């Protein structure tokens, strides 16, 4: 008779530790070029009970898009259903067609297609990704940043700064047309070189088809919306950076920085840029892709119409006197004009749609948008842009206040909403004490670029825990708590990784008590487990009880014979 247990009472710390250890072995075997061991460990991870549990948790709890339904209409799973799904993953189910939805691109009239798998296929993709990602993390080039664990947009921008800071460069701004939708399935599967069982699974996902005004077959591409699609796209583009660098010489090197399907190439000479453009176009044809003719441009960082936009930043060099810089120019990276315009438009829409809201309600909506935008640009030269945003927002708020009180003078309106007469200065503040966050209050903190060949699978958790503490999108409160906790979760004691979802836990249960002594940082699943433990009775399962893992499984979720093979 099998012991009964609850989803929230599973030993998630042990589960995560065991899965990460197995992923670390895959990473090291891939570094050593031991293909047979890599394939053996990948099959072991896919069959393991721990791996299945972790995959289900990631798509049903940790994933922000967990409530998006596939063709079966399932949006959420209850804890018993999650356990049932983990048991079903012992045999990967036949893939079902994807549900196509269209979402608008930011600041554009175009729409982006998303193809949503059903929940069971999402969990299966997460499980396969657990096995494939460590292998490819050991292979990927150092300047590939998009959709990789532990790397961000800010690492790509820091890499660009390091490349151009000593000497002006010619720039090829590359954009791949419909990258996700046009990758050749045959070329992708040949490049993966996974075990036959995994290749059959991947082939089924790629050929599953979509429902968009009727069923449509998928002959090309890795549909956006799947858990494994970003990783498959990176695998398809693997080798392009190496090709570009091989075109340069020791005296005139050629560098490239990639973020998903967007990339920039740098060279000292225009002829090298033209050669790189031709070589990239020819290489992409081999996997069914091509450069976008309108979005692929050649520019220069200093001369002519200097500068270029990348990931929402404007990268440009300015000529200065010999006393200002020994190189005769200065490299400045700022928020792009397009990004500033989008941000102002969003703030204007919030103000206009909250004409009847209270001042406190308006402040809550504005602060969330301002905080996120400022944290993204807090690593570059943004003070001027921040001041400009505050200036334009003040005009919007003044019009909002005058519309509410058309018969009051401007002096009385300002005194009521900005507290100028109370000695607080020009602070937009409500009666309950809530204040509008000003853009220029955000301090500028330079981002420390990730080391070239580092990966979260290399086992150096101290490095990644410390790195998260300086993560540019980390709110100040969480940075303080991380420093107090030494970069570790207060519940399980593991170091936080840059891809972990973190929750602020109130120890006394009072969300109004925001004192630092009352707050701790927990993993999201640890946070769920702490609250579940406060409401559910204990089941009395010993920590070393193996019966919940399924018949014939050892501590890592693998069969005894397989454990001897790889042990």
């Amino acid at each position: 008779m099998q012991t009964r247990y609850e989803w929230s009472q599973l030993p998630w710390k042990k589960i995560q530790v065991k899965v990460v250890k197995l992923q670390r072995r895959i990473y090291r075997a891939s570094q050593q070029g031991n293909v047979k061991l890599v394939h053996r460990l990948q099959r072991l991870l896919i069959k393991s009970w721990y791996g299945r549990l972790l995959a289900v948790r990631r798509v049903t709890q940790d994933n922000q898009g967990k409530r998006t339904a596939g063709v079966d209409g399932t949006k959420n799973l209850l804890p018993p259903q999650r356990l049932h799904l983990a048991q079903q993953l012992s045999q990967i189910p036949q893939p079902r067609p994807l549900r196509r939805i269209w979402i608008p691109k930011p600041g554009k009239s175009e729409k982006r297609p998303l193809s949503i798998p059903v929940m069971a296929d999402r969990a299966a993709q997460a499980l396969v990704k657990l096995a494939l990602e460590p292998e490819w993390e050991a292979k990927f080039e150092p300047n590939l940043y998009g959709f990789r664990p532990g790397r961000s947009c800010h690492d790509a921008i820091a890499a660009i700064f390091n490349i151009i800071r000593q000497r002006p460069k010619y720039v090829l701004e590359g954009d791949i047309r419909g990258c996700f939708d046009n990758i050749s399935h045959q070329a992708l599967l040949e490049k993966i070189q996974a075990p036959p069982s995994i290749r059959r699974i991947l082939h089924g996902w790629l050929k599953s088809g979509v429902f968009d005004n009727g069923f449509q077959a998928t002959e090309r591409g890795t549909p956006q919306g799947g858990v494994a699609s970003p990783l498959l796209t990176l695998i398809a583009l693997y080798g392009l950076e190496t090709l570009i660098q091989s075109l340069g010489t020791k005296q005139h090197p050629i560098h490239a920085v990639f973020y998903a399907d967007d990339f920039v190439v740098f060279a000292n000479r225009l002829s090298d840029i033209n050669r790189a453009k031709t070589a990239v176009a020819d290489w992409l044809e081999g996997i069914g892709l091509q450069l976008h003719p309108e979005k692929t441009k050649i520019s220069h960082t200093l001369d002519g119409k200097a500068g270029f936009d990348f990931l929402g930043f404007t990268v440009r060099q300015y000529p200065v006197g010999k006393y200002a810089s020994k190189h005769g120019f200065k490299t400045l990276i700022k928020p792009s004009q397009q990004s500033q315009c989008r941000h102002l438009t969003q703030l204007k829409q919030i103000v206009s749609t909250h004409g009847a809201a209270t001042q406190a309600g308006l402040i809550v909506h504005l602060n969330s948008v301002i905080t996120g935008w400022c944290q993204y640009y807090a690593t570059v030269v943004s003070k001027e842009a921040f001041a400009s945003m505050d200036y334009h927002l003040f005009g919007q708020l003044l019009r909002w206040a005058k519309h509410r009180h058309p018969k009051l003078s401007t002096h009385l309106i300002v005194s009521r909403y900005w507290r100028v007469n109370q000695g607080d200065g020009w602070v937009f503040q409500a009666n309950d004490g809530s204040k509008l966050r000003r853009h220029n209050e955000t301090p500028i903190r330079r981002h420390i670029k990730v080391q070239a060949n580092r990966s979260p699978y290399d086992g150096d958790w101290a490095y990644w825990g410390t790195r998260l503490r300086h993560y540019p999108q980390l709110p100040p409160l969480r940075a303080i708590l991380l420093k107090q906790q030494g970069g570790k979760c207060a519940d399980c004691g593991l170091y936080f990784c840059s891809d972990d979802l973190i929750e602020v836990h109130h120890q006394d249960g009072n969300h109004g008590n925001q004192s630092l002594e009352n707050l701790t940082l927990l993993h999201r699943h640890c946070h769920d487990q702490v609250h579940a433990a406060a409401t559910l009775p204990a089941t009395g399962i010993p920590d070393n009880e193996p019966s919940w893992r399924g018949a014939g499984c050892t501590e890592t979720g693998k069969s005894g014979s397989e454990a001897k093979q790889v042990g």
Side-chain angles (χ1 to χ4, degrees), residues 14-226:
K14 181 186 292 185
I15 291 172
Q16 186 174 11
V17 168
K18 297 300 182 182
V19 171
V20 168
K21 283 184 178 179
L22 194 52
Q23 287 181 309
R24 191 183 307 166
R25 293 179 64 189
I26 296 174
Y27 176 84
R28 291 176 178 173
S30 179
Q31 280 185 319
Q32 297 166 2
N34 193 339
V35 178
K36 289 185 178 180
L37 181 58
V38 169
H39 290 178
R40 192 183 307 160
L41 294 173
Q42 287 175 335
R43 290 193 294 267
L44 189 61
L45 179 54
I46 289 178
K47 293 178 182 178
S48 73
W49 175 238
Y50 283 172
R52 286 181 274 149
L53 286 172
L54 192 59
V56 171
R57 192 192 74 190
R58 289 191 174 179
V59 299
T60 59
Q61 284 186 277
D62 295 345
N63 191 357
Q64 296 292 347
K66 60 188 177 183
R67 297 188 183 276
T68 305
V71 293
D72 60 352
T74 303
K75 293 184 177 181
N76 194 15
L77 295 182
L78 299 175
Q81 295 173 315
R82 297 171 191 164
L83 287 171
H84 181 64
L85 177 57
Q87 293 169 352
Q88 286 182 323
L89 288 181
S90 59
Q91 296 292 330
I92 302 295
Q94 287 293 327
R96 300 185 61 180
L98 309 172
R99 172 175 168 253
R100 175 68 55 82
I101 60 175
W102 296 84
I103 60 173
K105 292 185 178 181
K108 299 180 181 179
S109 59
E110 304 175 9
K111 290 189 176 181
R112 185 192 311 275
L114 287 184
S115 302
I116 310 300
V118 297
M119 194 68 71
D121 287 342
R122 279 183 243 176
Q125 289 189 25
L127 180 59
V128 172
K129 183 181 178 182
L130 287 175
L132 285 180
E133 192 170 57
E135 175 194 0
W136 285 94
E137 275 295 303
K139 298 179 180 180
F140 283 142
E141 294 101 338
N143 284 323
L144 183 62
Y145 295 98
F147 303 126
R148 291 184 62 185
R151 294 172 181 247
S152 66
C153 300
H154 301 90
D155 292 309
I157 296 299
I160 290 174
F161 179 81
N162 292 337
I163 291 171
I164 67 174
R165 63 179 179 177
Q166 298 292 337
R167 180 174 179 177
K169 305 277 188 180
Y170 285 96
V171 185
L172 171 64
E173 306 171 50
D175 185 270
I176 303 174
R177 171 182 282 175
C179 180
F180 285 87
D181 301 326
N182 295 300
I183 294 175
S184 169
H185 290 172
Q186 181 180 356
L188 175 60
L189 292 174
E190 289 177 357
K191 182 175 287 189
I192 289 178
Q193 297 180 349
S197 57
I198 296 180
R199 292 183 65 183
R200 285 193 295 269
I201 294 171
L202 295 175
H203 182 270
W205 290 335
L206 294 173
K207 300 293 186 180
S208 60
V210 297
F211 272 105
D212 185 14
N213 295 326
F215 179 80
Q216 300 176 10
T218 51
E219 301 297 334
R220 307 175 66 84
T222 58
Q224 299 182 65

Side-chain angles (χ1 to χ4, degrees), residues 488-500:
K488 297 181 180 180
C489 173
D491 181 65
C492 67
L494 296 177
Y495 280 105
F496 289 114
C497 296
S498 52
D499 291 330
D500 287 343

Side-chain angles (χ1 to χ4, degrees), residues 215-427:
F215 179 80
Q216 300 176 10
T218 51
E219 301 297 334
R220 307 175 66 84
T222 58
Q224 299 182 65
V227 178
S229 296
L231 176 61
L232 296 179
T233 302
L234 294 182
I235 294 174
L237 296 175
Y238 168 69
L240 185 53
E241 181 186 343
T242 303
L243 170 71
I244 294 172
Q245 290 181 343
S246 67
L247 300 174
T249 63
K250 185 175 182 180
Q251 185 177 3
H252 297 286
I254 302 177
H255 302 279
V257 175
F258 287 79
Y259 193 89
D261 57 338
D262 295 325
F263 64 94
V264 284
V265 180
F266 302 93
N268 299 333
R269 301 177 297 187
L270 181 59
S271 59
D272 289 340
I273 287 292
N274 290 324
R275 285 195 302 117
K277 181 179 179 181
T278 303
V280 168
D282 294 339
W283 189 92
L284 290 176
E285 287 183 2
I287 58 173
L289 299 176
Q290 58 181 342
L291 292 175
H292 199 298
E294 298 178 357
K295 297 181 180 179
T296 301
K297 300 177 291 184
I298 296 177
S299 59
H300 195 271
T301 58
L302 181 61
D303 299 331
K305 190 178 180 181
F308 63 95
D309 291 348
F310 190 64
L311 301 177
F313 298 87
T314 294
V315 182
R316 183 178 176 183
Q317 292 172 328
Y318 299 83
V320 296
K322 62 179 181 179
Y323 296 106
S325 172
K326 64 179 180 179
H327 300 294
F329 63 88
K330 186 174 293 185
T331 303
L332 299 181
I333 303 177
K334 304 179 181 180
S336 67
Q337 287 295 326
Q338 187 178 12
S339 177
Q340 294 183 48
C341 291
R342 283 201 304 265
H343 182 56
L344 284 177
T345 300
Q346 186 178 10
L347 295 178
K348 183 178 179 180
Q349 290 176 348
I350 293 175
V351 174
S352 61
T353 56
H354 289 78
T358 62
Q359 186 182 11
L362 176 61
I363 289 174
V364 169
H365 286 85
L366 288 175
N367 278 350
S368 62
V369 175
I370 293 172
T371 300
W373 194 83
C374 289
Q375 286 178 354
Y376 184 76
Y377 291 106
T379 62
V380 296
V381 184
S382 302
K383 278 299 184 181
E384 183 178 345
F386 289 167
S388 176
M389 297 299 105
D390 286 331
Y391 172 79
H392 290 288
L393 180 58
F394 172 78
Q396 294 291 334
L397 293 175
L398 186 59
R399 281 189 287 271
W400 174 85
K402 287 184 176 181
H403 178 74
R404 293 169 66 91
H405 306 281
K407 296 184 179 180
L408 290 182
S409 66
T410 302
H411 177 76
L412 292 177
I413 290 174
V414 168
S415 300
R416 173 175 294 189
Y417 289 103
W418 274 269
R419 314 292 177 179
V420 177
N421 294 340
Q422 299 180 15
D424 293 334
W426 291 87
V427 178

Side-chain angles (χ1 to χ4, degrees), residues 409-561:
S409 66
T410 302
H411 177 76
L412 292 177
I413 290 174
V414 168
S415 300
R416 173 175 294 189
Y417 289 103
W418 274 269
R419 314 292 177 179
V420 177
N421 294 340
Q422 299 180 15
D424 293 334
W426 291 87
V427 178
F428 193 71
Q429 180 177 344
N431 292 328
D432 61 358
S434 59
K435 298 180 180 181
L436 178 69
R437 173 174 179 149
R438 302 185 63 175
H439 293 75
N440 60 10
E441 292 176 354
T442 304
I444 302 298
R445 296 189 179 94
R446 301 303 176 197
H447 178 67
I448 302 175
K449 178 184 171 296
V450 65
Q451 295 177 8
N453 294 316
R454 284 283 191 173
S455 172
Y457 301 112
D458 61 13
D460 192 350
W461 297 111
Y463 172 80
W464 292 103
T466 305
R467 191 173 164 73
L468 180 62
R469 191 182 307 172
H470 301 287
Y471 202 60
Q473 292 175 287
L474 192 66
L477 175 61
R478 297 193 178 192
I480 296 173
L481 294 175
L482 272 176
K483 187 174 182 179
Q484 291 180 349
Q485 297 174 205
K488 297 181 180 180
C489 173
D491 181 65
C492 67
L494 296 177
Y495 280 105
F496 289 114
C497 296
S498 52
D499 291 330
D500 287 343
L501 297 176
I502 303 174
E503 297 284 353
V504 178
H505 175 61
H506 296 75
Q507 299 185 60
D508 62 358
N510 179 16
H511 285 247
N513 184 1
Q514 296 291 330
S515 63
L516 293 178
E517 294 77 10
N518 185 47
L519 302 178
T520 57
L521 292 182
L522 307 176
H523 291 103
R524 174 172 291 183
H525 53 276
C526 292
H527 188 248
D528 294 341
Q529 189 170 350
V530 168
H531 281 281
T535 57
L536 294 177
T539 59
I541 305 175
D543 190 51
N544 59 354
E545 175 61 49
S547 59
W548 63 271
R549 302 186 192 98
C553 291
T554 63
E555 186 172 339
T556 57
K558 52 183 177 283
S559 66
S561 60

